[in-house]
Amino acid sequence: MADELMLAFGVLACLQAKHFIADYLLQPRWVIRAKGHFDQPGGYCHAGVHALGSVPALVLAGLGLPLLLVFMAAEFAVHFLIDHAKARHGMKSCKGPDTAAFWAMHGFDQFLHHMTYLAMTAAALRLAVMSVV
């Protein structure tokens, strides 16, 4: 039981570290400006960075290549849509970083991403165990 718990923490820690790097260190202006636009590549590139960045955590969880690709595709889509929705809402609200509404929206966006990582961790570990049995 302790080994499974440590593995779960390790997978989740990898996803959290990846999130910080991808969301706060690897987002140039052209990516940030493109979010909320289906016809610009920035949001897609950003979601791709997230999907690729999750590979070490998913391998640690024990996923084989077919499931790894499914998880990457799902994360790509979910991450893109969360960011797209936040960007579209932000364009309509005109709330800047000096408002509580801006930070509430940012916090909700981050909450959704972190809930995605909890779900990914639980599902990956469950599927990895099922594929071993």
Side-chain angles (χ1 to χ4, degrees), residues 3 6 31-32 42 46 49 76 96 100 107:
D3 289 341
M6 291 306 295
V31 167
I32 295 167
H46 177 66
V49 166
F76 176 90

Side-chain angles (χ1 to χ4, degrees), residues 91-126:
M91 289 176 203
K92 293 177 188 173
S93 73
C94 300
K95 303 291 183 191
D98 59 339
T99 66
F102 173 89
W103 290 105
M105 185 173 49
H106 176 75
F108 185 62
D109 165 82
Q110 294 301 294
F111 171 77
L112 291 176
H113 290 311
H114 294 299
M115 291 299 103
T116 301
Y117 301 139
L118 283 172
M120 287 173 62
T121 299
L125 292 173
R126 175 84 171 150

Side-chain angles (χ1 to χ4, degrees), residues 11 26 66 86 96:
V11 170
L26 297 178
K86 180 184 110 175

Side-chain angles (χ1 to χ4, degrees), residues 9-124:
F9 281 133
V11 170
L12 191 54
C14 285
L15 291 171
Q16 297 290 334
K18 178 271 305 189
H19 184 80
F20 170 72
I21 293 165
D23 256 25
Y24 295 98
L25 303 180
L26 297 178
Q27 275 200 88
R29 271 193 120 89
W30 67 271
V31 167
I32 295 167
R33 288 184 182 148
K35 290 182 182 180
H37 301 282
F38 284 121
D39 62 343
Q40 296 180 22
Y44 300 103
C45 290
H46 177 66
V49 166
H50 274 278
L52 286 172
S54 291
V55 169
L58 297 172
V59 169
L60 178 63
L63 293 185
L65 186 59
L67 283 174
L68 179 69
L69 294 173
V70 169
F71 271 69
M72 289 173 66
E75 183 182 7
F76 176 90
V78 169
H79 197 96
F80 179 88
L81 291 172
I82 290 170
D83 282 2
H84 181 80
K86 180 184 110 175
R88 297 300 297 176
H89 180 74
M91 289 176 203
K92 293 177 188 173
S93 73
C94 300
K95 303 291 183 191
D98 59 339
T99 66
F102 173 89
W103 290 105
M105 185 173 49
H106 176 75
F108 185 62
D109 165 82
Q110 294 301 294
F111 171 77
L112 291 176
H113 290 311
H114 294 299
M115 291 299 103
T116 301
Y117 301 139
L118 283 172
M120 287 173 62
T121 299

